[in-house]
Amino acid sequence: MPVNVPIYRGLDEQDRQRLIEDVGETYARVAAAIPAQEAAEAAEETIGPTSLEPVEIPEFKELIGIDASVYRQLNAALSAGKQHLMLYGPPGTGKTTLAQLVSGMLHDTYAMITGSADWTSQDVIGGYQPVSGGTVRFIPGVLLQNFDRPLIIDELNRCDIDKVIGPLFTVLSEQKTTLPYRVDVADEGSQAYVILPKPKPGTAEHEFAPKPGWRIIATINSIDKAALYQMSFALMRRFSWIYVDVPADLQGFLLAIMRQWALVGEEAEPSSDMALARIWRAVNVARAIGPAPILDMLKTVQEIEPEINFLRAPSEDEAKAYLDGFYMYVLPMLDGIQHKAAIDIATEIRNALQLPEEGNVSRVVEERLVELAV
Ligand SMILES: Nc1ncnc2c1ncn2[C@@H]1O[C@H](COP(=O)(O)OP(=O)(O)OP(=O)(O)O)[C@@H](O)[C@H]1O
Ligand SMILES: [Mg+2]
């Protein structure tokens, strides 16, 4: 099919005008087609009851082994009228799931966005964007678009928090913020947009005010924290920080999950420590990791050896399936552990899986762990 490529002669005034119009039109078409924010697009969820009444957060049956202190602190923060919550802790402990369950209890709908290093204030707060008619207009970012419901910012530490949330900082401090954007770009006398810190009935065109259901529920993975952008103390103080730890009783956790998934009978008890619990415990000495990668490991073993009994010492083939699961989901999380810790984990894996000490398999386990060590 022949493609109609327009040709413009730069010295011809008529052609120059045509170029300006065509580019303007293209921009307008593109602006109409693209949603306001691409990078920080929110996933919306609709769930439980809408209620502005205080809600008691129950222990969620979806999550096992979450310490009672988590629920106690959540409820204390909410009943004290604290608006913004920060769930932090080791990877895979259920922080994101908890943020969603809590949001679902607090409001009939919520939005969730996941932090990214290339977020800008434009994505989050908003900024000028081309619109039809060859002009630009202030388009609210994902935060202002979800000013009426809980907004989960998952993995907040993955973006440059102070830079991105900067303009919102004043709002979190309960003060008004004026944005550097006018309602009518062309009119220098036009009012600048403002963000109000508190709900206000009947806001004016240039005002953004949170609705009573708005709050930020953020999650931070405490392992990434050191390596990634840090949050200023001033912003930190605006949140209630709730630590979501690894379950205290690892074997008890695994038994509960296996019963829930009907992998073992309700009454079944291991005669000695389960291999999976032993490996998880050894890993946690070096680096705390939550249930998520361990559950992925468990599913892998189950997939490869459908007949396996997790309560018994593994056969040679079952030991290989455990190692597959370990290499796929747990090993990558151990980058940078100490050399001694690597050796200790390798030793415990060998014992738990009853691998021959001098064998090739034991050697590979140790090599792979040591390779990640510093
Ligand atoms: N305590 C738990 N009980 C049951 N399932 C859990 C628990 N913790 C995590 N999981 C499961 O592991 C998966 C991942 O959990 P989730 O993403 O909520 O963890 P996270 O703490 O946000 O992880 P990350 O630190 O990697 O962001 C989910 O399917 C969740 O159901
Ligand atoms: Mg998460």
Side-chain angles (χ1 to χ4, degrees), residues 92-97 154-155 219-221:
T93 52
K95 300 176 294 297
T96 304
T97 311
D154 201 26
E155 304 186 26
T219 76
I220 281 191
N221 185 323

Side-chain angles (χ1 to χ4, degrees), residues 54-74:
V55 179
E56 174 82 12
I57 303 295
E59 292 196 9
F60 296 111
K61 64 175 183 342
E62 293 88 338
L63 290 171
I64 297 169
I66 299 283
D67 199 79
S69 63
V70 170
Y71 294 105
R72 200 169 61 234
Q73 290 169 16
L74 273 172

Side-chain angles (χ1 to χ4, degrees), residues 111-127:
M112 180 160 103
I113 53 176
T114 303
S116 153
D118 48 42
W119 270 5
T120 61
S121 167
Q122 165 126 358
D123 299 316
V124 178
I125 307 294

Side-chain angles (χ1 to χ4, degrees), residues 4-127:
N4 190 7
V5 181
I7 296 173
Y8 308 96
R9 278 162 302 204
L11 295 177
D12 183 325
E13 179 52 28
Q14 238 183 351
D15 261 15
R16 214 174 62 82
Q17 275 308 326
R18 199 158 57 86
L19 173 65
I20 291 169
E21 278 163 26
D22 285 357
V23 169
E25 249 175 50
T26 306
Y27 259 116
R29 264 206 312 276
V30 172
I34 298 176
Q37 76 304 326
E38 260 185 335
E41 190 124 32
E44 264 185 44
E45 282 289 332
T46 305
I47 3 94
T50 309
S51 168
L52 299 175
E53 297 298 308
V55 179
E56 174 82 12
I57 303 295
E59 292 196 9
F60 296 111
K61 64 175 183 342
E62 293 88 338
L63 290 171
I64 297 169
I66 299 283
D67 199 79
S69 63
V70 170
Y71 294 105
R72 200 169 61 234
Q73 290 169 16
L74 273 172
N75 282 311
L78 293 171
S79 55
K82 296 288 183 197
Q83 207 175 352
H84 310 296
L85 306 171
M86 179 75 69
L87 304 175
Y88 73 116
T93 52
K95 300 176 294 297
T96 304
T97 311
L98 189 61
Q100 290 173 303
L101 291 168
V102 169
S103 301
M105 286 298 296
L106 294 174
H107 211 266
D108 64 338
T109 160
Y110 64 83
M112 180 160 103
I113 53 176
T114 303
S116 153
D118 48 42
W119 270 5
T120 61
S121 167
Q122 165 126 358
D123 299 316
V124 178
I125 307 294

Side-chain angles (χ1 to χ4, degrees), residues 32 64 77 88 90 159 178 200 256 266 288 296 334 356 374:
I64 297 169
Y88 73 116
C159 69
T178 303
K200 176 187 166 188
E266 281 300 323
D296 285 332
L334 298 178
V374 288

